[in-house]
């Protein structure tokens, strides 16, 4: 059974802390994505990666960075957490090429609260 | 700049009736569209998709209609069931993302569907 695993489901962090959100997939997918979900704003793409050590900015990269040192792992980093980064974060992975709903897999999400 | 829009933040429907969820897009390069269903505290799950070469795709109780000239798509659920209550997202991607490159998805803002028993 395919899996995208987000290691932390619920986190509470203080303003200014450095925060790491980890995502691991076991499908040998090239592409990995980080989204955040906010009420009324839907899912917005933060960063994505199409290969090891490769990354590209999505629509809202400010305040975030990412790391892809191994194919199976894509980390989202909040360098200095702020309260407006309180959100649900979703990781996804897929193969390149022709998109199909059946080949895009999401993790269960990480709820981050910054106080 | 919202490229994919769902103008109805919520929708309430009686069990057994039809649910119609709408989605509009602005980027004419989009040529593949998907609908996802999401429960709270879970990741989105894929429902149904449609390519721009079609105007309709059906899977059981779910049908997606695409009107390319209007840049509009809709999801019909018939008959609606209480278990369909969730947030529904439409998403779009385009040809420029194919061929070895990333198939990046752009999501809409979501519509909360409530099916009343």
């Amino acid at each position: 059974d395919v899996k995208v695993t987000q290691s932390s489901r619920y986190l509470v962090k203080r303003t200014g802390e450095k925060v790491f959100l980890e995502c691991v997939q076991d499908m040998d997918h090239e592409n990995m994505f980080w989204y955040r979900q906010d009420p009324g704003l839907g899912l917005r793409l933060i960063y994505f990666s199409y290969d090891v050590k490769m990354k590209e900015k999505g629509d809202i990269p400010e305040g975030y960075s990412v790391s892809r040192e191994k194919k199976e792992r894509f980390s989202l980093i909040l360098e200095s957490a702020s309260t407006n980064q309180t959100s649900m974060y979703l990781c996804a992975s897929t193969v390149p090429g022709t998109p199909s709903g059946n080949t895009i897999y999401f993790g269960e999400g990480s709820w981050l609260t910054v106080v | 700049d919202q490229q994919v829009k769902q103008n109805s933040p919520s929708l309430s429907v009686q069990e057994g009736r039809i649910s119609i969820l709408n989605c509009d897009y602005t980027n004419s390069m989009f040529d593949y569209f998907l609908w996802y269903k999401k429960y709270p505290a879970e990741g989105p799950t894929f429902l149904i998709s449609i390519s721009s070469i079609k105007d309709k795709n059906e899977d059981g109780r779910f049908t997606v209609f695409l009107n390319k000239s209007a840049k509009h798509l809709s999801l019909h659920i018939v008959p609606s069931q209480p278990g369909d209550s969730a947030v529904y997202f439409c998403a779009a991607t385009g040809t420029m993302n194919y061929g070895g490159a990333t198939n990046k998805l752009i999501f809409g803002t979501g519509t909360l569907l409530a099916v009343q028993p």
Side-chain angles (χ1 to χ4, degrees):
Chain A
D1 198 17
V2 295
K3 276 280 192 185
V4 177
T5 303
Q6 295 181 231
S7 54
S8 302
R9 293 299 312 277
Y10 302 96
L11 305 93
V12 180
K13 298 292 182 180
R14 294 193 180 277
T15 300
E17 274 193 76
K18 191 168 186 175
V19 181
F20 292 86
L21 299 179
E22 306 285 347
C23 176
V24 176
Q25 49 95 0
D26 63 1
M27 296 161 282
D28 202 35
H29 283 168
E30 286 81 359
N31 300 328
M32 297 187 75
F33 306 82
W34 275 106
Y35 290 87
R36 62 178 280 179
Q37 182 194 355
D38 300 289
L41 297 175
L43 274 68
R44 294 179 291 166
L45 182 63
I46 306 171
Y47 265 98
F48 60 101
S49 169
Y50 50 90
D51 203 350
V52 175
K53 297 192 185 295
M54 306 302 287
K55 60 185 179 184
E56 287 204 19
K57 294 179 180 178
D59 299 318
I60 51 163
E62 296 79 17
Y64 303 94
S65 62
V66 289
S67 173
R68 185 110 182 258
E69 295 297 318
K70 293 184 178 181
K71 192 175 186 180
E72 68 269 19
R73 185 180 296 270
F74 191 35
S75 303
L76 180 69
I77 304 159
L78 286 67
E79 296 291 342
S80 177
S82 63
T83 55
N84 63 12
Q85 292 178 309
T86 292
S87 186
M88 182 183 193
Y89 291 86
L90 285 159
C91 175
S93 74
T94 185
V95 296
T98 304
S100 163
N102 292 328
T103 61
I104 303 167
Y105 298 91
F106 283 88
E108 293 191 327
S110 298
W111 287 96
L112 172 65
T113 301
V114 182
V115 298
Chain B
D1 181 27
Q2 195 78 32
Q3 297 185 70
V4 180
K5 301 177 185 179
Q6 295 174 253
N7 292 319
S8 298
S10 63
L11 175 68
S12 183
V13 171
Q14 287 294 118
E15 181 178 5
R17 305 293 290 271
I18 184 171
S19 296
I20 301 175
L21 297 96
N22 294 303
C23 180
D24 297 292
Y25 62 97
T26 57
N27 191 336
S28 57
M29 295 294 286
F30 290 148
D31 58 7
Y32 189 78
F33 305 90
L34 307 91
W35 284 94
Y36 284 85
K37 174 181 179 180
K38 188 181 182 298
Y39 294 116
E42 292 184 13
T45 54
F46 169 70
L47 273 178
I48 192 168
S49 62
I50 188 166
S51 165
S52 60
I53 61 173
K54 293 185 175 183
D55 55 17
K56 177 182 174 181
N57 189 25
E58 194 170 353
D59 184 2
R61 296 186 298 115
F62 302 93
T63 303
V64 56
F65 295 91
L66 175 62
N67 182 335
K68 280 180 61 180
S69 60
K71 294 191 177 69
H72 177 84
L73 61 154
S74 61
L75 174 68
H76 293 210
I77 306 173
V78 183
S80 301
Q81 299 173 353
D84 295 330
S85 298
V87 177
Y88 288 78
F89 291 100
C90 70
T93 188
T95 306
M96 67 282 194
N97 289 328
Y98 297 2
T102 57
N103 41 350
K104 185 173 65 171
L105 285 181
I106 306 297
F107 283 86
T109 51
T111 297
L112 175 62
L113 173 65
V115 180
Q116 310 296 334

